[in-house]
Amino acid sequence: MADREEGRGLGLAGAAEEASATADCAGSVQAGDRRDTADGPRRTAQAAPHDHPDLPPLVEEHCADVSYQMVRRYVSDRKPEILAASGKAPVEAFVLQTHLPGHEAEVDFGDVTVRLAGELVTCYLFSLRMSYSGKAIHRVFASCGQEAFFEGHVHALRTLGGVPRSKIRYDNLKSAVSQVLGLNRARVETDRWIAFRSHFNIESFYCRPGIEGAHEKGGVEGMIGYFRRNHFTPVPEVDSLAELNEMVNQWDLHDGRRRIGSRPRTVDEYFAVEQPLLMPLPKEPFETGRLFTPRVDRYSQINVRTNRYSVPTRLIGKRVRVVLHASHLVVYDRNAEVARHERLIAKGGCRLDLDHCLEALIRKPGAFPGATALEQARSAGNSRRSTTPGGPRPARSTASGTAPGR
């Protein structure tokens, strides 16, 4: 108890001293002051942060204009350093690991900046890296949700030609983990993730939460940084994510010819050793999209994940089936596809297809000049209907950042 109180007093006084120096206040922290602050009562769970019993005396004595949160952060950072300097805590050491061919991989997301159709947006780079060879497969998505998580796996495993035999390391991302149980490795996984990894026979391994566990999958962490520095600087300019992912595929092929560190062979040469050792892919496909059943409103639009998308006017008032993928969505009326849209990146947006509104515009020609769908089509240079030999096909849809006026 004495050691606990001493450490507590030292941390608070040290924080006040740091704040005092920052504020250029006169005076210094004496040893007696530290002992005095250590005798205060422990903060209870009901006390507000600014009502901490030790904080007002420290603020008054050392002229430190600090909050309890600032003191708390300082103590959290300094306490391990003080314990290590005094020999009471061991210095953290890292153990070199050897990975068997075809046995392990690591997965992570990283954000990247892209100029998409003239607009600067933030997208998400999925990366799966084989631990033995360093072979990495990437894919860019509009979001890092569960749909992108699954589609990234499918693309990577198909490109690699198999599944790692032992385990794949993950963060505790919400797409896979619904709850972290205590301080051990036990996790409550989401139902769809359990079904997905069972389908592909994936053995998951979850790193420790927070920054403490980042080194446990340091290979993919470093790979994302390398990929971002070498291929997303300067910012790439593309018209669509499909075009960008074609570029990403070429970058992956190019990176396979490089050597990592002082290794004598290239990434592809090492991967040629482990590729035959991967487990085979399942023959049946897995539906990675998420199902929704929204009702079509009177503007012939549906609401999916805070964004609105148009459908043919004949479906007003009906419920339709929507399969939401990472980069696009497909709308079905019973078993027939009636609309297909590129997924919006921002929230609160609206993507309209001029073909879906023509029937209503024919009946109400007065609404034609100010029609939002027409304005979007004009801005995209797509005011003409496109048709196929099988009949009318929805024209390429256009998007706006805000919903149309009603």
Side-chain angles (χ1 to χ4, degrees):
M1 179 65 70
D3 292 340
R4 183 186 301 173
E5 293 296 333
E6 182 180 357
R8 177 167 160 265
L10 179 61
L12 288 171
E17 184 177 3
E18 177 77 14
S20 176
T22 304
D24 293 327
C25 293
S28 61
V29 181
Q30 304 295 329
D33 297 332
R34 296 178 179 179
R35 286 192 297 270
D36 292 341
T37 59
D39 297 331
R42 183 175 297 277
R43 175 175 178 260
T44 62
Q46 292 79 14
H50 59 274
D51 293 334
H52 192 285
D54 287 344
L55 190 57
L58 291 172
V59 173
E60 295 173 1
E61 294 173 13
H62 308 296
C63 304
D65 186 13
V66 296
S67 65
Y68 174 72
Q69 287 82 0
M70 185 182 296
V71 177
R72 184 176 179 180
R73 286 195 297 268
Y74 179 86
V75 173
S76 177
D77 293 338
R78 282 288 293 149
K79 189 173 181 180
E81 299 175 1
I82 294 172
L83 292 176
S86 63
K88 296 181 180 179
V91 178
E92 185 177 8
F94 295 89
V95 180
L96 189 64
Q97 298 288 301
T98 299
H99 303 285
L100 297 176
H103 276 248
E104 297 183 20
E106 302 170 359
V107 165
D108 201 4
F109 275 104
D111 59 284
V112 292
T113 302
V114 179
R115 190 169 295 279
L116 184 62
E119 183 180 357
L120 200 64
V121 298
T122 298
C123 296
Y124 299 91
L125 178 69
F126 173 91
S127 179
L128 186 149
R129 180 183 184 271
M130 298 299 299
S131 300
Y132 171 76
S133 64
K135 180 70 172 178
I137 305 299
H138 300 87
R139 198 76 170 170
V140 178
F141 296 102
S143 72
C144 56
Q146 195 175 65
E147 302 84 24
F149 185 60
F150 288 171
E151 289 184 26
H153 276 83
V154 172
H155 169 72
L157 296 178
R158 285 178 178 173
T159 304
L160 295 173
V163 183
R165 289 188 172 275
S166 178
K167 57 191 174 185
I168 302 181
R169 298 175 183 267
Y170 299 96
D171 277 336
N172 299 278
L173 65 174
K174 293 182 179 179
S175 299
V177 176
S178 60
Q179 185 179 0
V180 178
L181 300 178
L183 301 177
N184 55 25
R185 301 286 181 176
R187 303 289 188 269
V188 177
E189 298 178 320
T190 61
D191 293 339
R192 293 196 75 224
W193 169 238
I194 293 174
F196 180 87
R197 69 178 187 83
S198 299
H199 180 82
F200 285 93
N201 199 18
I202 294 174
E203 180 184 347
S204 56
F205 177 90
Y206 299 104
C207 302
R208 288 186 295 169
I211 193 66
E212 294 84 1
H215 68 277
E216 295 183 352
K217 56 177 183 61
V220 72
E221 297 272 1
M223 185 68 231
I224 290 177
Y226 170 87
F227 206 83
R228 185 190 290 124
R229 290 189 301 272
N230 286 270
H231 302 303
F232 284 86
T233 305
V235 174
E237 299 185 14
V238 294
D239 293 330
S240 66
L241 288 180
E243 178 184 350
L244 178 60
N245 280 316
E246 288 295 328
M247 299 166 60
V248 169
N249 293 340
Q250 295 302 316
W251 295 336
D252 282 340
L253 293 175
H254 179 269
D255 288 344
R257 297 191 290 269
R258 71 186 182 99
R259 289 182 173 86
I260 299 177
S262 59
R263 285 184 165 190
R265 292 185 287 176
T266 66
V267 170
D268 282 342
E269 289 173 338
Y270 280 106
F271 181 66
V273 175
E274 69 175 345
Q275 201 281 332
L277 303 177
L278 299 174
M279 293 188 297
L281 293 169
K283 296 181 180 180
E284 296 295 326
F286 185 92
E287 177 55 69
T288 58
R290 184 179 290 272
L291 180 64
F292 296 89
T293 56
R295 187 182 296 276
V296 182
D297 64 14
R298 60 178 178 172
Y299 298 95
S300 69
Q301 297 175 16
I302 54 174
N303 195 327
V304 180
R305 289 283 182 86
T306 74
N307 289 314
R308 308 189 68 80
Y309 302 88
S310 66
V311 297
T313 55
R314 69 176 185 275
L315 300 175
I316 291 177
K318 294 183 178 181
R319 284 199 177 275
V320 293
R321 184 164 54 93
V322 179
V323 180
L324 179 67
H325 298 276
S327 300
H328 69 282
L329 62 86
V330 185
V331 184
Y332 296 92
D333 179 25
R334 298 181 181 178
N335 293 325
E337 178 180 329
V338 294
R340 180 182 291 262
H341 293 281
E342 186 176 344
R343 183 171 176 175
L344 288 167
I345 296 177
K347 293 183 178 180
C350 181
R351 189 176 292 278
L352 302 179
D353 189 323
L354 182 58
D355 279 3
H356 296 159
C357 306
L358 288 180
E359 184 178 349
L361 290 174
I362 291 173
R363 296 178 180 177
K364 298 181 178 180
F368 193 86
T372 305
L374 179 61
E375 292 301 319
Q376 289 186 12
R378 282 174 176 169
S379 64
N382 188 33
S383 58
R384 285 198 248 173
R385 296 186 70 188
S386 60
T387 59
T388 62
R393 179 181 63 84
R396 184 173 55 190
S397 56
T398 55
S400 67
T402 57
R406 295 184 174 182

